[in-house]
Amino acid sequence: MAHLMKWWSRAAAVVTGAVLALVVPAHAWAASNGVADLAVEAARRRSRGGFGVFGFFGLLCCLFVVGAVVLAIVLISRNRKRR
């Protein structure tokens, strides 16, 4: 159980760090450039039907990134067990 808690805390730290490293600067840039207003306006004009082509590719990209992170964590944990 302690191993699971240690793994979970490391994974949560990695996800939190990645979110803070990516989302906070992007949000600050968008707020200072007026891009936020353009995004809101584009969202209002956009059609509401389905995922579309970009939604599907976005989903595949997201799954690829999540899989790469999980693979990296598994490989790192296996290397630590061998030592």
Side-chain angles (χ1 to χ4, degrees), residues 4-70:
L4 181 64
M5 290 300 292
K6 185 185 285 188
W7 180 85
W8 180 253
S9 63
R10 287 180 183 166
V14 167
V15 169
T16 302
V19 167
L20 290 177
L22 297 173
V23 172
V24 172
H27 177 69
W29 173 80
S32 66
N33 274 356
V35 176
D37 298 332
L38 289 175
V40 169
E41 192 174 319
R44 286 182 186 157
R45 286 188 285 153
R46 171 178 93 160
S47 68
R48 299 286 180 197
F51 281 106
V53 176
F54 293 112
F56 179 70
F57 288 129
L59 178 65
L60 285 179
C61 180
C62 181
L63 289 175
F64 178 74
V65 169
V66 169
V69 169
V70 169

